[in-house]
């Protein structure tokens, strides 16, 4: 379970005590600081006042998995919501993901422009965790710093976009439609991706307008627990 505190500039109650009380209802769960790239079934956001000024821009998870605390009156509603989210996480874990053949069945991309191998976890309409092995024999590596190959940042963003495509195409309402990348914002690169490494790609839906076929997603690409790249992507389904 992730926890993120506000800056504490004007707290009206003991935030740490409230989080510890909440943790007492879930003794089987570990409550740790929510960091970029870490996967949690939910993140408890402890605000000292009603302003909710906590920075959450580096977390790739849907808003529905945020559990807000702004005072002791939120304790029991937070307990109920956390129990629901843990049950959903257990169900998603049992459901599994996608083998490579299933990925090929949904994505229109093919080698050498296919940057998703398998899916470890998928919650349709909410989030996805996918993997891609950066094969040292990839053609793009031959010309991208040939003496010290690096997986291009643009390909890392494309991998995030393809994972987002899978997240959308797994929904019945988008079945058979063509995903198009129409915009990139807030893209940032933090670490090189090297040949032989495996990318873990986490994507969640931030905003969806099914009537327009327009979706805004947030994605992160990691190697292990190291955040390599992150971006918000706008996709259209045609």
């Amino acid at each position: 379970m992730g926890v993120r505190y506000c800056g504490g500039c004007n707290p009206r109650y003991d935030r740490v005590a409230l989080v510890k009380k909440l943790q007492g209802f879930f003794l089987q769960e570990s409550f740790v600081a929510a960091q970029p790239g870490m996967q949690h079934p939910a993140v408890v956001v402890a605000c000292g006042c009603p302003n909710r000024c906590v920075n959450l821009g580096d977390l790739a998870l849907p808003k529905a998995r945020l559990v807000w605390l702004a005072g002791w009156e939120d304790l029991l509603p937070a307990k109920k919501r956390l129990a629901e989210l843990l049950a959903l996480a257990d169900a998603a874990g049992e459901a599994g993901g996608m083998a490579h053949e299933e990925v090929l069945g949904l994505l229109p991309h093919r080698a050498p422009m296919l940057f998703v191998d398998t899916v470890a976890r998928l919650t349709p309409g909410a989030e996805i965790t996918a993997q891609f092995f950066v094969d040292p024999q990839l053609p793009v590596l031959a010309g991208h710093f040939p003496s010290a190959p690096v997986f291009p940042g643009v390909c890392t963003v494309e991998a995030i976009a393809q994972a987002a495509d899978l997240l959308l195409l797994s929904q019945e309402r988008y079945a058979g439609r063509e995903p198009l990348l129409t915009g990139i914002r807030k893209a940032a690169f933090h670490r090189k991706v090297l040949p032989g490494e495996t990318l873990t790609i986490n994507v969640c839906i931030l905003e969806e307008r099914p009537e327009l076929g327009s979706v805004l997603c947030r994605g992160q690409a990691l190697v292990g627990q190291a955040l390599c790249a992150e971006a918000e992507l706008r996709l259209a389904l045609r």
Side-chain angles (χ1 to χ4, degrees):
M1 193 73 62
V3 180
R4 177 69 60 90
Y5 289 93
C6 71
C9 59
N10 186 32
R12 62 184 183 91
Y13 69 101
D14 188 334
R15 296 164 299 150
V16 175
L18 180 53
V19 171
K20 286 183 177 179
K21 184 66 175 180
L22 181 63
Q23 185 177 5
F25 295 121
F26 302 94
L27 296 178
Q28 74 281 10
E29 299 292 332
S30 297
F31 281 55
V32 298
Q35 300 291 339
M38 294 182 68
Q39 292 298 291
H40 305 286
V43 170
V44 176
V45 186
C47 302
C49 68
N51 288 334
R52 295 190 175 188
C53 59
V54 183
N55 177 24
L56 302 171
D58 59 345
L59 301 180
L61 78 165
K63 293 179 181 178
R65 280 170 54 197
L66 299 176
V67 178
W68 293 87
L69 294 175
W72 284 90
E73 64 275 12
D74 293 332
L75 176 61
L76 293 182
K79 173 189 174 184
K80 178 181 178 181
R81 183 57 183 154
L82 274 182
E84 294 171 348
L85 290 171
L86 287 169
L88 288 172
D90 289 341
E94 293 172 0
M98 292 183 186
H100 187 62
E101 293 73 18
E102 295 173 285
V103 170
L104 293 176
L106 285 182
L107 282 183
H109 310 77
R110 293 295 182 267
M113 286 300 296
L114 176 65
F115 298 131
V116 173
D117 293 327
T118 58
V119 173
R121 179 175 176 174
L122 171 65
T123 304
E127 60 186 331
I128 189 171
T129 298
Q131 293 91 21
F132 177 67
F133 173 67
V134 182
D135 190 329
Q137 301 305 314
L138 279 174
V140 70
L141 296 175
H144 197 251
F145 303 99
S147 60
V150 175
F151 190 59
V154 66
C155 294
T156 304
V157 173
E158 175 64 19
I160 295 173
Q162 291 181 18
D165 292 343
L166 284 169
L167 175 57
L168 300 177
L169 294 174
S170 64
Q171 299 183 66
E172 185 175 349
R173 63 172 167 266
Y174 297 131
R177 298 176 70 172
E178 182 180 9
L180 302 172
L181 179 60
T182 59
I184 302 173
R185 69 182 192 183
K186 297 184 180 179
F189 301 92
H190 306 279
R191 177 193 182 278
K192 294 179 181 178
V193 179
L194 303 176
E197 294 184 326
T198 297
L199 279 177
T200 298
I201 308 154
N202 301 319
V203 178
C204 68
I205 293 176
L206 296 180
E207 175 186 298
E208 186 175 8
R209 299 193 62 184
E211 73 280 7
L212 299 178
S214 177
V215 184
L216 179 66
C217 296
R218 176 186 293 138
Q220 295 179 325
L222 306 98
V223 172
Q225 291 296 324
L227 180 63
C228 299
E230 56 187 329
E232 291 185 5
L233 308 177
R234 175 73 64 179
L235 298 109
L237 284 298
R238 299 290 184 260

